[in-house]
Amino acid sequence: VNGKRKDILQGGNLSCAFHISSILKIFSLINSIQFTVHRTLDDMIRSGWVRIQKPKLGCIAVWMPKPANPSRMKKESKTHANIVKHLGIVIDHKHAVHNSDKEKTPVLDPIQYRPIEMFLWHPKLEE
């Protein structure tokens, strides 16, 4: 950033969008790898993702915003916002894989571990 090395993902603390967008990019389901949830969602909508009512295998779960934990957010990430949505991939009707800010790695949790805002689906996943 500006010619200086900077850990914009804070060692995995802010990595959900990066992990999800990387997987979606590998399968040509979005245009580019992203580093924020907002930009990932924008790219997904532009790439044909649509809202669905119930989870399907492979859909993206978008969890409701929650207040960011100030003790985990470094000064430089305050622009990330005080409210953070979260992304994960639904792997069965009860579970999703998402990045854990605590573990700083992808983990498996029940879909309802946090309130859901929406599920997103891409028609190419039907093929």
Side-chain angles (χ1 to χ4, degrees), residues 1 3 13 22 26 31 33 45 49 55 65 76 85 90 94 96-97 100 116 127:
V1 176
N13 188 34
S22 295
I26 288 168
N31 294 316
I33 295 172
I45 298 305
W49 288 79
E76 61 266 21
K85 290 183 184 181
V90 174
K94 294 183 181 181
V97 173
S100 166
I116 291 287
E127 300 172 0

Side-chain angles (χ1 to χ4, degrees), residues 35-53:
F35 295 96
T36 67
V37 171
H38 176 76
R39 287 187 180 185
T40 301
L41 292 173
D42 283 350
D43 195 346
M44 290 174 69
I45 298 305
R46 284 191 314 273
S47 299
W49 288 79
V50 295
R51 217 174 175 151
I52 57 174
Q53 294 300 313

Side-chain angles (χ1 to χ4, degrees), residues 1 18 26 39 51 56 58 66 68 73 95 98 108 120 123:
V1 176
F18 174 73
I26 288 168
R39 287 187 180 185
R51 217 174 175 151
K56 289 181 171 184
K66 71 174 183 176
M73 303 292 278
H95 298 93
H98 66 100
L108 178 68
L120 293 170

Side-chain angles (χ1 to χ4, degrees), residues 19-112:
H19 286 169
I20 297 302
S21 67
S22 295
I23 292 166
L24 299 181
K25 175 60 179 162
I26 288 168
F27 291 100
S28 300
L29 295 170
I30 61 172
N31 294 316
S32 59
I33 295 172
Q34 303 293 339
F35 295 96
T36 67
V37 171
H38 176 76
R39 287 187 180 185
T40 301
L41 292 173
D42 283 350
D43 195 346
M44 290 174 69
I45 298 305
R46 284 191 314 273
S47 299
W49 288 79
V50 295
R51 217 174 175 151
I52 57 174
Q53 294 300 313
K54 294 184 180 183
K56 289 181 171 184
L57 304 183
C59 77
I60 301 301
V62 181
W63 284 281
M64 296 290 288
K66 71 174 183 176
N69 182 340
S71 67
R72 289 204 177 156
M73 303 292 278
K74 294 179 181 177
K75 288 181 184 178
E76 61 266 21
S77 72
K78 298 243 172 155
T79 58
H80 184 69
N82 290 329
I83 300 208
V84 181
K85 290 183 184 181
H86 191 57
L87 303 173
I89 298 176
V90 174
I91 62 161
D92 64 30
H93 294 292
K94 294 183 181 181
H95 298 93
V97 173
H98 66 100
N99 186 71
S100 166
D101 59 350
K102 181 179 178 185
E103 303 294 326
K104 299 187 183 352
T105 189
V107 296
L108 178 68
D109 269 320
I111 292 171
Q112 299 298 337

